[in-house]
PDB file of all heavy atoms in Angstrom:
ATOM      1  N   GLU A  25      -7.172   9.288 -33.555  1.00  0.00           N
ATOM      2  CA  GLU A  25      -6.559   8.668 -32.371  1.00  0.00           C
ATOM      3  C   GLU A  25      -6.253   7.185 -32.566  1.00  0.00           C
ATOM      4  O   GLU A  25      -5.114   6.755 -32.354  1.00  0.00           O
ATOM      5  CB  GLU A  25      -7.439   8.890 -31.142  1.00  0.00           C
ATOM      6  CG  GLU A  25      -6.774   8.458 -29.849  1.00  0.00           C
ATOM      7  CD  GLU A  25      -7.595   8.837 -28.632  1.00  0.00           C
ATOM      8  OE1 GLU A  25      -8.100   9.971 -28.565  1.00  0.00           O
ATOM      9  OE2 GLU A  25      -7.724   7.971 -27.747  1.00  0.00           O
ATOM     10  N   PRO A  26      -7.229   6.357 -32.986  1.00  0.00           N
ATOM     11  CA  PRO A  26      -6.874   4.947 -33.185  1.00  0.00           C
ATOM     12  C   PRO A  26      -5.908   4.734 -34.352  1.00  0.00           C
ATOM     13  O   PRO A  26      -5.063   3.831 -34.303  1.00  0.00           O
ATOM     14  CB  PRO A  26      -8.209   4.245 -33.433  1.00  0.00           C
ATOM     15  CG  PRO A  26      -9.195   5.318 -33.730  1.00  0.00           C
ATOM     16  CD  PRO A  26      -8.676   6.573 -33.108  1.00  0.00           C
ATOM     17  N   LEU A  27      -6.003   5.552 -35.385  1.00  0.00           N
ATOM     18  CA  LEU A  27      -5.066   5.422 -36.501  1.00  0.00           C
ATOM     19  C   LEU A  27      -3.646   5.731 -36.041  1.00  0.00           C
ATOM     20  O   LEU A  27      -2.699   4.982 -36.326  1.00  0.00           O
ATOM     21  CB  LEU A  27      -5.469   6.345 -37.647  1.00  0.00           C
ATOM     22  CG  LEU A  27      -4.513   6.362 -38.850  1.00  0.00           C
ATOM     23  CD1 LEU A  27      -4.384   4.979 -39.471  1.00  0.00           C
ATOM     24  CD2 LEU A  27      -4.971   7.382 -39.878  1.00  0.00           C
ATOM     25  N   THR A  28      -3.486   6.821 -35.297  1.00  0.00           N
ATOM     26  CA  THR A  28      -2.168   7.194 -34.788  1.00  0.00           C
ATOM     27  C   THR A  28      -1.614   6.101 -33.883  1.00  0.00           C
ATOM     28  O   THR A  28      -0.426   5.758 -33.966  1.00  0.00           O
ATOM     29  CB  THR A  28      -2.241   8.537 -34.050  1.00  0.00           C
ATOM     30  OG1 THR A  28      -2.680   9.549 -34.969  1.00  0.00           O
ATOM     31  CG2 THR A  28      -0.900   8.939 -33.471  1.00  0.00           C
ATOM     32  N   ALA A  29      -2.466   5.521 -33.044  1.00  0.00           N
ATOM     33  CA  ALA A  29      -2.016   4.447 -32.150  1.00  0.00           C
ATOM     34  C   ALA A  29      -1.564   3.227 -32.943  1.00  0.00           C
ATOM     35  O   ALA A  29      -0.538   2.615 -32.628  1.00  0.00           O
ATOM     36  CB  ALA A  29      -3.132   4.069 -31.179  1.00  0.00           C
ATOM     37  N   ALA A  30      -2.297   2.880 -33.998  1.00  0.00           N
ATOM     38  CA  ALA A  30      -1.929   1.725 -34.820  1.00  0.00           C
ATOM     39  C   ALA A  30      -0.595   1.964 -35.522  1.00  0.00           C
ATOM     40  O   ALA A  30       0.277   1.082 -35.554  1.00  0.00           O
ATOM     41  CB  ALA A  30      -3.026   1.425 -35.836  1.00  0.00           C
ATOM     42  N   VAL A  31      -0.423   3.155 -36.088  1.00  0.00           N
ATOM     43  CA  VAL A  31       0.833   3.466 -36.771  1.00  0.00           C
ATOM     44  C   VAL A  31       1.980   3.502 -35.766  1.00  0.00           C
ATOM     45  O   VAL A  31       3.080   2.998 -36.041  1.00  0.00           O
ATOM     46  CB  VAL A  31       0.738   4.795 -37.548  1.00  0.00           C
ATOM     47  CG1 VAL A  31       2.093   5.143 -38.173  1.00  0.00           C
ATOM     48  CG2 VAL A  31      -0.338   4.725 -38.621  1.00  0.00           C
ATOM     49  N   ALA A  32       1.744   4.074 -34.582  1.00  0.00           N
ATOM     50  CA  ALA A  32       2.795   4.142 -33.566  1.00  0.00           C
ATOM     51  C   ALA A  32       3.251   2.742 -33.155  1.00  0.00           C
ATOM     52  O   ALA A  32       4.454   2.505 -32.950  1.00  0.00           O
ATOM     53  CB  ALA A  32       2.313   4.927 -32.349  1.00  0.00           C
ATOM     54  N   GLY A  33       2.319   1.805 -33.051  1.00  0.00           N
ATOM     55  CA  GLY A  33       2.690   0.429 -32.719  1.00  0.00           C
ATOM     56  C   GLY A  33       3.544  -0.213 -33.806  1.00  0.00           C
ATOM     57  O   GLY A  33       4.547  -0.874 -33.524  1.00  0.00           O
ATOM     58  N   LEU A  34       3.147  -0.003 -35.066  1.00  0.00           N
ATOM     59  CA  LEU A  34       3.915  -0.529 -36.192  1.00  0.00           C
ATOM     60  C   LEU A  34       5.302   0.113 -36.241  1.00  0.00           C
ATOM     61  O   LEU A  34       6.313  -0.578 -36.428  1.00  0.00           O
ATOM     62  CB  LEU A  34       3.154  -0.277 -37.492  1.00  0.00           C
ATOM     63  CG  LEU A  34       3.842  -0.703 -38.787  1.00  0.00           C
ATOM     64  CD1 LEU A  34       4.072  -2.204 -38.819  1.00  0.00           C
ATOM     65  CD2 LEU A  34       3.004  -0.256 -39.991  1.00  0.00           C
ATOM     66  N   LEU A  35       5.348   1.424 -36.052  1.00  0.00           N
ATOM     67  CA  LEU A  35       6.614   2.154 -36.080  1.00  0.00           C
ATOM     68  C   LEU A  35       7.561   1.651 -34.986  1.00  0.00           C
ATOM     69  O   LEU A  35       8.743   1.380 -35.244  1.00  0.00           O
ATOM     70  CB  LEU A  35       6.351   3.648 -35.930  1.00  0.00           C
ATOM     71  CG  LEU A  35       7.549   4.581 -35.805  1.00  0.00           C
ATOM     72  CD1 LEU A  35       8.463   4.478 -37.020  1.00  0.00           C
ATOM     73  CD2 LEU A  35       7.057   6.029 -35.612  1.00  0.00           C
ATOM     74  N   ALA A  36       7.055   1.511 -33.778  1.00  0.00           N
ATOM     75  CA  ALA A  36       7.908   1.046 -32.668  1.00  0.00           C
ATOM     76  C   ALA A  36       8.446  -0.357 -32.939  1.00  0.00           C
ATOM     77  O   ALA A  36       9.623  -0.640 -32.702  1.00  0.00           O
ATOM     78  CB  ALA A  36       7.115   1.066 -31.365  1.00  0.00           C
ATOM     79  N   ALA A  37       7.593  -1.226 -33.463  1.00  0.00           N
ATOM     80  CA  ALA A  37       8.024  -2.596 -33.741  1.00  0.00           C
ATOM     81  C   ALA A  37       9.057  -2.633 -34.863  1.00  0.00           C
ATOM     82  O   ALA A  37      10.014  -3.410 -34.811  1.00  0.00           O
ATOM     83  CB  ALA A  37       6.817  -3.461 -34.088  1.00  0.00           C
ATOM     84  N   CYS A  38       8.875  -1.799 -35.887  1.00  0.00           N
ATOM     85  CA  CYS A  38       9.866  -1.740 -36.971  1.00  0.00           C
ATOM     86  C   CYS A  38      11.201  -1.206 -36.449  1.00  0.00           C
ATOM     87  O   CYS A  38      12.266  -1.733 -36.793  1.00  0.00           O
ATOM     88  CB  CYS A  38       9.346  -0.874 -38.122  1.00  0.00           C
ATOM     89  SG  CYS A  38       8.098  -1.708 -39.126  1.00  0.00           S
TER      90      CYS A  38
END
Side-chain angles (χ1 to χ4, degrees):
E25 188 173 316
L27 177 60
T28 299
V31 176
L34 177 63
L35 174 59
C38 284

